[in-house]
Amino acid sequence: MVDGFELCHMKILVLNSGSSTQKSALFDLGPESSDEPVAPLWEGKLEWDGDKERLTAQNSDGKTVKEAAVVPADDRIASLDKLLQKLWQPPTQVIRDFSVIEVVGHRIVHGGPHLSEPVIISSEVKQAIKDVAAIAPLHNAVGLQGIELAERLFPKAKQVAVFDTGFHRTLSLTAKVYPGPYEWFERGIRRYGFHGINHEYCAHRAAQLLKREISSLKIVSCHLGNGCSLAAIDGGKSVDTTMGFTPLEGIMMGTRSGSVDPGILIHLMRNEKTDPKHLDEMLNRRSGLLGIFGVSSDMRDVLEAANKSNDRAKLAVDIFVHRLQAGIAAMAASLGGLDVIVFTAGIGFNAAAVRLASCAKLGFLGVQLDEEKNSSVKPDAEISTLKSAVRVLVIRAQEDWSIARECVRLANRS
């Protein structure tokens, strides 16, 4: 036994709190460390678009539950409670009751300056997560709610936090210090980077698929979901990334603006008396695809409308692609070269049209996309031509399994 964990197969529940989704999965993992993802015994998902909620739960036998509801934005913890009860309720039941859950692993988006490695959750850890919640307003608060709910539902289980910022701890001072007053850096205002759990997984998975040592690869990982970020990964280490002090910086996202001229914000505050709360709401929840299209933040809806000649939808897609292309090129410059581009997460995994458009102007980097492979790909797979100097891959995000594996590794440390 190590730190209260018994070194045998464990039932590990993963709670993955996103800005517009709440994913959960149950794994049965042993002490062995595998590089191959293991399918969960059960997985559930909550998706929100405004006050519209979709709940899906499925077990490994294929039994599925789907529900739709209208839920106030401040009542999502009740929805998570309902989702988790599907673990022991027919038809998706896979355990007899809550008592068999031994470990609950949480994706925590922002670890702040002090938390980067996976850690057993204590009152001090919860306070540290709370302390930086204001700079990850769409994420840390719901992560804390998940921790508190898990403590109530699974009182005997160990709670483990795995941080999205952790992978980017290798950023150099050049990459992480902002060109403002140096006092900012001394006060903890710096680039932290996010989506690190999936960026790290995708880098290792790319090396595995290409049968190359990760130490030899320069990779640009494109995590494109409701939240979007790029990472420049050299030899398996993060050397640059588009998100920064908060998950708001970088390329265009579902409801987030990404990077904008800070002078715009000064202008709004000075001339339109816009207060910080309104700016927060505007930049985090009313911008991005939603802000331009005006109807939905879901890329599937935007692409469908664009294909029907909706000008605002087409503009939203064009801006998204333009900023994505610029971001990929910038990450390649940080690497001093490029071997692999990875597309991952909801948009990167599913939107062939976005991948095609994004690679269209990257020929100067040596990128050649195979349109047939791109349109029919079943990840994990390559979609570049045989002549392409840069390998382009589509890789399924495996954040839940990565978190579960970190729980096992933490259990095995002496």
Side-chain angles (χ1 to χ4, degrees), residues 64-82:
T64 304
V65 170
K66 294 183 179 181
E67 300 174 2
V70 175
V71 178
D74 59 356
D75 197 31
R76 292 178 176 179
I77 193 67
S79 298
L80 177 56
D81 191 338
K82 181 172 70 172

Side-chain angles (χ1 to χ4, degrees), residues 239-373:
V239 298
D240 202 357
T241 188
T242 54
M243 282 183 171
F245 177 60
T246 76
L248 182 58
E249 187 182 0
I251 62 175
M252 183 181 187
M253 305 177 223
T255 65
R256 280 169 270 172
S257 62
S259 296
V260 296
D261 180 352
I264 296 171
L265 312 184
I266 297 170
H267 169 80
L268 291 173
M269 294 177 73
R270 179 181 293 147
N271 297 299
E272 299 187 17
K273 309 303 180 186
T274 306
D275 61 27
K277 183 178 180 180
H278 188 208
L279 285 177
D280 182 18
E281 174 73 19
M282 187 187 307
L283 294 171
N284 274 300
R285 296 176 175 84
R286 291 166 43 203
S287 295
L289 293 173
L290 176 62
I292 301 300
F293 178 35
V295 177
S296 172
S297 63
D298 192 315
M299 180 61 86
R300 292 168 293 190
D301 298 334
V302 182
L303 287 170
E304 182 180 359
N307 289 334
K308 294 178 180 178
S309 300
N310 182 298
D311 289 340
R312 289 266 295 270
K314 186 177 184 302
L315 178 61
V317 174
D318 289 346
I319 296 171
F320 185 91
V321 169
H322 170 72
R323 292 193 163 217
L324 176 55
Q325 290 170 331
I328 292 172
M331 292 296 104
S334 292
L335 290 166
L338 183 60
D339 299 308
V340 185
I341 296 174
V342 173
F343 289 99
T344 185
I347 297 171
F349 181 78
N350 293 300
V354 172
R355 296 193 300 263
L356 179 63
S358 300
C359 291
K361 292 184 178 180
L362 299 180
F364 73 99
L365 291 175
V367 177
Q368 292 185 24
L369 208 64
D370 185 312
E371 293 190 28
E372 184 177 346
K373 287 181 182 178

